[in-house]
């Protein structure tokens, strides 16, 4: 993959318990969905396992109403403070929801993590001017420029195209991630870099969002592009 398009593998407790370093050889970042872990695992086992994988980590916490998968248990800031302190480095990431006033990560703007500000809609798309409004209202952070992630659910292929073109437009002034969920979203997950989307989210087990595919499926769908001598820089850099 080109360096500019990173593969994020989303994991819950079941996957993190069992994956080994060889299983993430094609992964750039591990997304730890904290809502899919027990307090006991977070506080006693998580640090050692993440360290063993040797990859940057993205910590995400989704409330039940903001997720398509069932959470283990409701967590509180004190439940995750220890693990967040353990990985407080600018090689790692925190996900902060743009459309929520509160977050489980206390004083995140003062930490060393790179911030991914995220917006999710399981019912509709979003227009460029609305995305700009969310971006304008986001809290400034000291460590590197934030990344803006918008994950939406288009009604048709036209909405998919409009959304991805808006992501490309906004990428001129911001680092963007654009994902379309559901069956119509496969283009955004496999070829998002063509619209200047910086990351794509995969699964190593059960999907963590509608339309999420495995790393192996992603590689298979990209293979024809890699082999095409007229496909641009991808065929030279991979």
């Amino acid at each position: 993959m080109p360096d500019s398009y990173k593969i994020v593998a989303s994991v819950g407790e079941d996957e993190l318990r069992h994956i080994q370093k060889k299983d993430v050889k094609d992964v750039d970042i591990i997304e730890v969905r904290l809502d899919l872990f027990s307090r006991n695992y977070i506080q006693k086992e998580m640090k050692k396992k993440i360290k063993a994988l040797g990859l940057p980590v993205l910590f995400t916490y989704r409330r039940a109403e903001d997720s398509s998968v069932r959470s283990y248990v409701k967590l509180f800031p004190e439940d995750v403070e220890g693990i967040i302190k353990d990985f407080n480095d600018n090689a790692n990431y925190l996900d902060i929801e743009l459309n929520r006033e509160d977050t489980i990560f206390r004083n995140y703007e003062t930490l060393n993590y790179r911030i991914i500000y995220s917006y999710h809609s399981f019912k509709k798309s979003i227009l460029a001017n609305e995305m700009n409004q969310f971006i304008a209202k986001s809290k400034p952070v000291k460590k590197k420029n934030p990344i803006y992630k918008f994950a939406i659910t288009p009604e048709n292929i036209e909405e998919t195209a409009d959304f991805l073109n808006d992501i490309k437009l906004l990428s001129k002034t911001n680092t963007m991630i654009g994902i379309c969920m559901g069956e119509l979203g496969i283009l955004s997950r496999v070829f998002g870099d063509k619209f200047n989307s910086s990351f794509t989210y995969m699964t190593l087990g059960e999907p963590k969002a509608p339309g999420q595919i495995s790393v192996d499926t992603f590689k298979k769908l990209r293979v024809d592009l890699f082999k095409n001598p007229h496909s641009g820089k991808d065929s030279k850099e991979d």
Side-chain angles (χ1 to χ4, degrees), residues 133-152:
Q133 289 172 13
F134 277 113
I135 290 171
K137 290 190 292 186
S138 63
K139 187 180 291 188
V141 290
K142 294 180 179 179
K143 304 296 181 181
K144 297 186 179 180
N145 293 326
I147 301 164
Y148 295 97
K149 175 191 177 187
F150 291 88
I152 56 91

Side-chain angles (χ1 to χ4, degrees), residues 7-139:
I7 296 177
V8 181
S10 301
V11 298
E13 184 170 327
D14 293 340
E15 289 95 355
L16 193 59
R17 280 184 180 277
H18 296 106
I19 59 174
Q20 303 298 321
K21 198 165 185 177
K22 62 181 176 60
D23 300 320
V24 294
K25 60 182 176 62
D26 296 310
V27 171
D28 297 298
I29 301 165
I30 292 289
E31 182 189 35
V32 172
R33 281 282 304 269
L34 290 166
D35 50 300
L36 305 180
F37 288 82
S38 61
R39 287 189 184 90
N40 185 67
Y41 189 91
I42 291 170
Q43 295 171 357
K44 295 183 179 180
E45 300 181 57
M46 182 176 281
K47 177 181 178 180
K48 182 178 179 181
K49 188 56 184 278
I50 295 175
K51 291 281 189 185
L53 294 177
L55 287 173
V57 62
L58 160 60
F59 289 112
T60 298
Y61 179 73
R62 296 271 179 261
R63 291 164 178 80
E65 60 269 30
D66 298 325
S67 176
S68 61
V69 289
R70 187 174 180 179
S71 61
Y72 255 81
V73 66
K74 182 178 180 180
L75 298 175
F76 297 92
E78 55 268 25
D79 295 322
V80 302
E81 279 181 338
I83 197 71
I84 297 306
K85 183 179 179 181
D86 288 335
F87 290 89
N88 186 22
D89 185 276
N90 61 17
N92 300 321
Y93 303 80
L94 288 182
D95 182 292
I96 306 296
E97 291 169 307
L98 280 168
N99 47 333
R100 278 196 169 276
E101 294 296 326
D102 58 339
T103 174
I104 198 171
F105 306 122
R106 288 175 174 161
N107 301 316
Y108 68 86
E109 69 276 11
T110 67
L111 301 177
N112 292 326
Y113 288 89
R114 189 160 187 197
I115 302 301
I116 297 178
Y117 282 116
S118 68
Y119 168 96
H120 295 77
S121 174
F122 294 97
K123 296 181 179 180
K124 62 185 180 70
S125 188
I126 188 172
L127 301 175
N129 65 327
E130 295 175 284
M131 287 190 270
N132 259 327
Q133 289 172 13
F134 277 113
I135 290 171
K137 290 190 292 186
S138 63
K139 187 180 291 188

